[in-house]
């Protein structure tokens, strides 16, 4: 048995025992209303990332959404509909994540993608650069997997999608409703619908080094930090390798200071996937409105697209940071469960103001 399968078994035994109906299965009752029509309804919205893959012989044609409502009846032979970011549009999906995947930090979940297909529908053999959980919610799907270790150099240069040039399966399984399959980064996999099928892919945010470096550079520029300059010796006519090495060390020390790294990581991991879905207050918020607004509610709930995370006494919301200077116990429940009872809130008007100003609170401002 390969190491990733061994790790998966250990992961199930240690992490899922309190969160799943049994190892390798999750409860999908909350998802019973997700149908092909539901997905096509989302795919007709220009705010939703969607696409249809159609296999013709050995080739795949890619069509990007949004799609006309007249296309919402059925999928053709060899077609697969893919709809991203369900948790930002369907409350039941967000609630399901909070229940079944509470063993993961919610801010590590990138998004939930649905793939729908009838018999034979598939998107070819491929691999992902991030961890993914594949949950079958309707129908059945046959999976082939290999031993992993793939890199981008092994992808087809001719296809519009990420297809492996070579794929030799070593493991095979059949997924039934409620079954969940964990796929580590770099593991090749190929799923083929056995009948009318809907699969949810829970992707884990796993940024590339190039993305992280770019975000860190942008953050430093926006914050206007100048820091130290090169300040070399201005000697010699050739580039001195030792001078370059010293510069690299100076740059590394400057960029990896704990306060910079902590702020960067929290902001990066809470950056909204689709920031245009958030609604920010149009004018300055009067702090006096917060208590009266809370008096009419039983719970404080996050907007579906909002992302928050905690690190010690710092709160990260939608890519921004607030140093609280103290622990706020109810924020951890809000982070993981996306909702917290109003009677658990303390006298934390500054925190509530920050959440409201960041567009993170559902139902605020009041109509």
């Amino acid at each position: 048995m390969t190491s990733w399968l061994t790790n998966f078994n250990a992961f199930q035994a240690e992490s899922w025992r309190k969160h799943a109906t049994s190892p390798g299965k999750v409860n999908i009752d909350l998802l019973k209303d997700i149908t092909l029509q539901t997905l096509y309804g989302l795919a007709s919205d220009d705010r939703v990332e969607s696409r249809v893959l159609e296999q013709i012989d050995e080739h795949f044609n890619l069509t990007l959404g949004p799609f006309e409502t007249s296309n919402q009846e059925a999928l053709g032979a060899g077609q697969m509909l893919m709809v991203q970011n369900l948790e930002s549009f369907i409350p039941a999906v967000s609630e399901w994540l909070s229940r079944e995947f509470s063993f993961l930090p919610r801010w590590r979940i990138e998004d939930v993608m649905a793939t729908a297909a009838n018999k034979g529908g598939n998107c070819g053999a491929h691999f992902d650069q991030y961890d993914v959980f594949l949950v079958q919610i309707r129908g059945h799907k046959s999976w082939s997997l290999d031993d992993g270790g793939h890199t981008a150099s092994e992808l087809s240069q001719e296809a519009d999608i990420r297809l492996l040039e070579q794929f030799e399966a070593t493991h095979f399984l059949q997924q039934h409703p409620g079954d969940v399959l964990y796929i580590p980064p770099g593991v090749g996999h190929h799923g083929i619908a056995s009948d009318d099928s809907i699969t949810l892919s829970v992707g884990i945010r796993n940024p590339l080094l190039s993305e992280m470096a770019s975000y860190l550079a942008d953050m430093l520029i926006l914050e206007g930090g100048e820091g130290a300059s090169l300040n070399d010796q201005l000697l010699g006519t050739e580039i001195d390798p030792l001078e370059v090495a010293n510069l690299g060390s100076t740059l590394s020390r400057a960029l990896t200071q704990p306060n910079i790294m902590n702020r960067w990581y929290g902001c990066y991991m809470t950056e909204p996937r689709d920031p245009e879905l958030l609604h920010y207050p149009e004018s300055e918020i009067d702090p006096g409105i917060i208590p009266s607004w809370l008096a009419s509610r039983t719970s404080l709930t996050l907007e579906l697209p909002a992302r928050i995370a905690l690190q010690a006494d710092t709160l990260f919301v939608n890519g921004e940071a607030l140093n609280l200077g103290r622990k706020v116990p109810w924020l951890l429940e809000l982070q993981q469960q996306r909702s917290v009872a109003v009677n658990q809130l303390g006298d934390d008007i500054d925190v509530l103001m920050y959440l409201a100003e960041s567009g993170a609170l559902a139902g605020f401002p009041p109509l």
Side-chain angles (χ1 to χ4, degrees):
M1 180 177 289
T2 59
S3 60
W4 71 265
L5 282 175
T6 303
N7 291 339
F8 176 48
N9 290 339
F11 177 80
Q12 288 177 317
E14 295 176 9
S15 301
W16 283 18
R17 186 167 296 154
K18 296 180 180 179
H19 307 281
T21 53
S22 62
K25 295 189 75 70
V26 292
N27 191 309
I28 57 173
D29 290 346
L30 285 171
L31 310 176
K32 62 181 182 300
D33 292 331
I34 297 180
T35 64
L36 178 60
Q37 287 67 36
T38 304
L39 298 179
Y40 258 127
L42 285 174
S44 66
D45 189 329
D46 60 9
R47 301 173 303 165
V48 178
E49 182 182 343
S50 61
R51 57 198 183 275
V52 167
L53 287 177
E54 182 176 13
Q55 184 176 15
I56 302 175
D57 297 326
E58 298 299 318
H59 302 282
F60 289 86
N61 290 338
L62 174 65
T63 305
L64 301 179
F67 299 99
E68 298 292 336
T69 54
S70 59
N71 294 337
Q72 295 181 19
E73 297 303 320
L75 284 166
Q79 291 185 332
M80 173 175 280
L81 172 66
M82 310 174 82
V83 182
Q84 301 277 167
N85 205 18
L86 264 64
E87 77 284 0
S88 290
F89 294 93
I90 303 177
V93 174
S94 181
E95 183 180 350
W96 174 75
L97 281 177
S98 296
R99 290 188 184 184
E100 298 299 322
F101 286 83
S102 60
F103 57 89
L104 293 173
R106 183 61 183 266
W107 46 267
R108 284 302 307 270
I109 297 176
E110 174 65 15
D111 82 323
V112 179
M113 179 184 73
T115 57
N118 52 27
K119 185 176 181 179
N122 72 103
C123 59
H126 63 285
F127 74 95
D128 298 305
Q129 293 175 314
Y130 50 85
D131 304 84
V132 64
F133 296 85
L134 301 169
V135 181
Q136 195 69 20
I137 65 169
R138 287 181 181 273
H140 305 79
K141 185 172 283 187
S142 297
W143 286 98
S144 305
L145 306 103
D146 66 17
D147 293 331
H150 294 293
T151 63
S153 63
E154 300 172 63
L155 296 173
S156 170
Q157 300 301 308
E158 299 179 359
D160 293 331
I161 57 176
R162 294 170 53 88
L163 292 178
L164 281 166
E165 287 274 18
Q166 302 291 330
F167 176 68
E168 296 182 7
T170 54
H171 305 281
F172 306 88
L173 60 93
Q174 179 84 359
Q175 247 190 333
H176 304 271
D179 288 349
V180 58
L181 175 63
Y182 166 65
I183 307 289
V187 171
H189 50 287
H190 187 192
I192 302 177
S194 304
D195 47 26
D196 291 342
S197 164
I198 296 180
T199 308
L200 297 189
S201 301
V202 181
I204 305 304
R205 183 165 280 203
N206 186 25
L208 299 175
L209 180 60
S210 58
E211 296 172 341
M212 293 187 288
S214 176
Y215 189 94
L216 176 58
D218 289 343
M219 187 182 80
L220 292 175
I221 292 171
L222 287 173
E223 294 186 354
E226 293 185 358
S229 62
L230 175 60
N231 195 27
D232 60 12
Q233 300 178 24
L234 299 177
L235 298 176
T237 58
E238 296 182 357
I239 294 176
D240 183 352
L242 180 59
E243 189 72 22
V244 174
N246 290 337
L247 176 60
S249 297
T250 300
L251 184 62
S252 176
R253 287 194 299 271
L255 294 180
T256 56
Q257 294 178 47
N259 62 321
I260 292 177
M261 293 299 296
N262 291 340
R263 182 179 176 85
W264 159 76
Y265 186 74
C267 290
Y268 186 89
M269 297 306 287
T270 57
E271 186 75 12
R273 189 183 189 281
D274 294 297
E276 66 276 8
L277 299 179
L278 293 169
H279 302 286
Y280 298 93
E282 297 180 356
S283 58
E284 186 176 348
I285 299 173
D286 177 2
I289 198 175
I290 298 290
S292 59
W293 177 71
L294 287 174
S296 63
R297 307 176 66 87
T298 59
S299 63
L300 188 74
T301 303
L302 292 176
E303 287 280 10
L304 292 179
R307 292 180 181 271
I308 74 169
L310 291 168
Q311 183 188 69
D313 57 359
T314 300
L315 170 63
F316 298 94
V317 183
N318 294 334
E320 302 290 341
L322 174 66
N323 189 344
L324 301 173
R326 66 189 190 281
K327 296 284 187 180
V328 180
W330 54 267
L331 278 174
L332 185 59
E333 181 172 347
L334 184 66
Q335 172 192 286
Q336 287 300 98
Q337 299 302 317
R338 312 285 295 179
S339 182
V340 63
V342 167
N343 60 17
Q344 293 187 39
L345 305 179
D347 185 20
D348 299 303
I349 296 297
D350 59 332
V351 179
L352 296 169
M353 284 282 290
Y354 187 70
L355 289 167
E357 291 167 347
S358 302
L361 295 184
F364 191 92
L367 297 178

